[in-house]
Amino acid sequence: MKQMKIEDGATRGAEPAGGEGKEPGTVKRILLLLQCLVDHPGESAQALAQRLNLPRSTVHRLLATLRENDYAGHEAGGTFGPGLELYRMAARLGGDMPYRRLAEPYLQALSERFHETSLLTLLERRQLKMFHAASGSPDDPMRYNIGLNVLEPLVWGATARAILAWLSPAEIQAAIDASGPSPVQGLTPDAAEVNAALLGIRRDGHAVTYSHRTPNTVGVGAPFFNAEGQVVGSLGFLIPTFRWEQSDVEQVLAALREAAGALSRQLGYRAAGENV
C-alpha cells in the first residue's frame, strides 16, 4: 500500500486545521472529498467543488493527491470516482464488518425501552440459513435463553422471514424446499403461505409471527441492508403473547423499523430517493 502524501493545513499556515468558525483544514477536506467519491461517483471536478462548497482549484489539487495514491480514479468524460485502493480497503473490511458491535447499542436501547428480549439475526447466504448473533436482555425476570451462532432455517420466525423476504425468488423457493417442519407446532412449510407473508413483509417493512420457534411467544423482525442494498440481517423482539396483546403494537413496530433503518444507514445503505 502506498503511503498517502497529505499536507496538513496546520503545518502550512495557508489553511487552518479547523475549529469553531474556521475554514476546515486539508485533512478534513480530503476526507469529505473521499466521501463524495464513494457516495457520488462519476462527477466532474466542478460538480464536486459545488457539492463541497470549495474552489475548483482546491478540489483539483486534492484530486491530484488522491489519484497519485490510487484513492481516486479519473474516468471517461473528465469525471472522477473511487480508486483501486479504496476498493481494496472496502473488500478487506467488508468481510469483517462488525455487525455485533454496531448493533449492540440498538439492542440495548430497544430492550431498555420496551423491557423485552431483542435479537440481532444475521443471514448465512451460501447455506440460505440464519443465526442469532447477539441479544439484548431486559431487567424483567421473564427472559429467553437464546442459542447464538446456531444455523437455522429462514422460513420460521419473524427475524428469519424479515430477511427471507428480501432474497431472490429462487433463493426463497430453495429456502422453503430445504426447511423442515416448524419447531413448535410441527407445521409443514407451505409455499403459498410463506410467499403471501413475505409479500406483506416487503410492504410493511417488518414481520410478525406467532409461536413459530418458541411457544406462546410473538416474534417481531425488521431487516437491515448493506451499502449494496443487500439484506444482511434483521433486528427483532421475542415477546410473550400476553404482553404483546397488552402492548402498543404500532409503537413497538415503529421503533424496531427505525432502529433497523439507522443500522442500515451506518452500513452505507441509502433508500431510493433518500438524500445523502
Side-chain angles (χ1 to χ4, degrees):
M1 173 180 169
K2 297 181 180 179
Q3 183 176 1
M4 192 169 182
K5 304 173 184 176
I6 298 179
E7 298 174 331
D8 193 329
T11 65
R12 297 191 50 176
E15 299 180 41
E20 184 73 18
K22 295 182 180 180
E23 187 180 16
T26 302
V27 171
K28 184 172 182 179
R29 287 176 170 181
I30 210 160
L31 290 174
L32 291 172
L33 180 54
L34 281 170
Q35 188 177 42
C36 279
L37 291 174
V38 172
D39 290 339
H40 307 283
E43 290 195 340
S44 65
Q46 179 64 36
L48 292 168
Q50 291 175 348
R51 188 177 293 279
L52 294 170
N53 195 27
L54 291 174
R56 184 175 177 179
S57 59
T58 298
V59 171
H60 270 296
R61 176 170 59 81
L62 297 178
L63 284 170
T65 300
L66 292 176
R67 290 181 61 196
E68 180 182 350
N69 293 275
D70 292 333
Y71 285 88
H74 195 191
E75 302 172 355
T79 60
F80 296 87
L84 292 178
E85 184 60 21
L86 281 182
Y87 285 109
R88 185 195 69 80
M89 293 168 66
R92 179 74 178 270
L93 294 173
D96 299 316
M97 181 65 72
Y99 296 115
R100 292 175 181 83
R101 179 173 59 81
L102 293 174
E104 280 175 359
Y106 299 106
L107 297 178
Q108 180 179 354
L110 288 168
S111 287
E112 287 180 355
R113 178 178 176 184
F114 295 103
H115 308 289
E116 302 293 355
T117 299
S118 57
L119 291 171
L120 166 67
T121 303
L122 297 178
L123 169 65
E124 178 26 82
R125 195 157 195 165
R126 288 173 297 179
Q127 300 185 55
L128 290 177
K129 292 192 175 184
M130 66 82 177
F131 61 95
H132 299 309
S135 66
S137 296
D139 295 331
D140 190 288
M142 181 179 288
R143 304 181 184 181
Y144 295 97
N145 293 320
I146 309 299
L148 300 182
N149 303 313
V150 178
L151 288 175
E152 299 183 44
L154 281 167
V155 169
W156 306 115
T159 58
R161 287 194 174 187
I163 297 170
L164 182 63
W166 300 96
L167 299 184
S168 70
E171 288 174 316
I172 291 172
Q173 187 58 54
I176 294 172
D177 293 342
S179 178
S182 63
V184 174
Q185 303 177 54
L187 300 175
T188 301
D190 181 286
E193 182 275 327
V194 173
N195 281 293
L198 300 184
L199 183 63
I201 293 167
R202 290 190 290 271
R203 179 194 64 229
D204 299 333
H206 63 259
V208 180
T209 58
Y210 298 86
S211 298
H212 269 203
R213 294 181 182 274
T214 307
N216 305 313
T217 299
V218 175
V220 190
F224 61 89
F225 305 86
N226 63 17
E228 288 72 43
Q230 297 179 335
V231 65
V232 290
S234 67
L235 298 180
F237 278 125
L238 289 179
I239 304 176
T241 302
F242 75 92
R243 284 214 296 251
W244 173 256
E245 293 171 347
Q246 299 169 2
S247 68
D248 186 334
V249 170
E250 290 306 318
Q251 190 177 59
V252 172
L253 294 173
L256 194 59
R257 291 193 302 266
E258 182 180 347
L263 180 55
S264 294
R265 289 189 291 275
Q266 270 193 284
L267 297 174
Y269 175 71
R270 294 293 182 270
E274 183 178 353
N275 294 326
V276 295

